[in-house]
Amino acid sequence: MTLASRLAALALIAGFASPALAAPPTPQSQYADNCSACHQTTGKGVKGAFPALAGSPLVTGNARVVTTTVLNGRAGMPAFKDDLSDAELAAILTYVRSSWGNKAGAVRPSDVATARAAAKAGAQARGLQAH
């Protein structure tokens, strides 16, 4: 086999593999990877342990509140501010706010960036307080 035919074969194989590797994750798959272990794929949570997201006033209410909660964590929930980008968090939050009968508006990456900046500024301000 010549070098040219080897390269052509590798290019052909790479062409078949690329679409599967290049496909970006969907909001549903991002939710499954980051949230469903606790809140379940159904959004119903686990009674007494992890709250339901389906029909939750926190989820369907003010987008800034749920965004800040997911960024910073709350009552045993991990903070995702260091793990997910603004676009990833916006996609997951939009998915949650529009799934399982929820009918709340989308969250934009710029909304997450604003909440992230506000949380960072608040943390810096608290660090400057006299002890």
Side-chain angles (χ1 to χ4, degrees), residues 76-102:
M77 177 185 148
F80 287 96
K81 65 184 173 206
D82 297 329
D83 300 327
L84 299 169
S85 71
D86 294 344
E88 290 168 327
L89 282 169
I92 292 168
L93 288 168
T94 297
Y95 171 75
V96 168
R97 287 169 55 84
S98 63
S99 296
W100 317 298
N102 292 340

Side-chain angles (χ1 to χ4, degrees), residues 17-109:
S18 293
L21 296 175
T26 65
Q28 185 175 7
S29 69
Q30 290 176 318
Y31 172 84
D33 291 345
N34 294 285
C35 313
S36 68
C38 298
H39 298 288
Q40 308 303 299
T41 57
T42 60
K44 292 182 180 179
V46 175
K47 190 173 181 160
F50 305 108
L53 302 179
S56 167
L58 176 74
V59 170
T60 59
N62 186 326
R64 186 180 318 163
V65 174
V66 70
T67 301
T68 300
T69 300
V70 172
L71 279 169
N72 299 311
R74 178 175 128 183
M77 177 185 148
F80 287 96
K81 65 184 173 206
D82 297 329
D83 300 327
L84 299 169
S85 71
D86 294 344
E88 290 168 327
L89 282 169
I92 292 168
L93 288 168
T94 297
Y95 171 75
V96 168
R97 287 169 55 84
S98 63
S99 296
W100 317 298
N102 292 340
K103 301 211 183 309
V107 176
R108 298 172 308 212

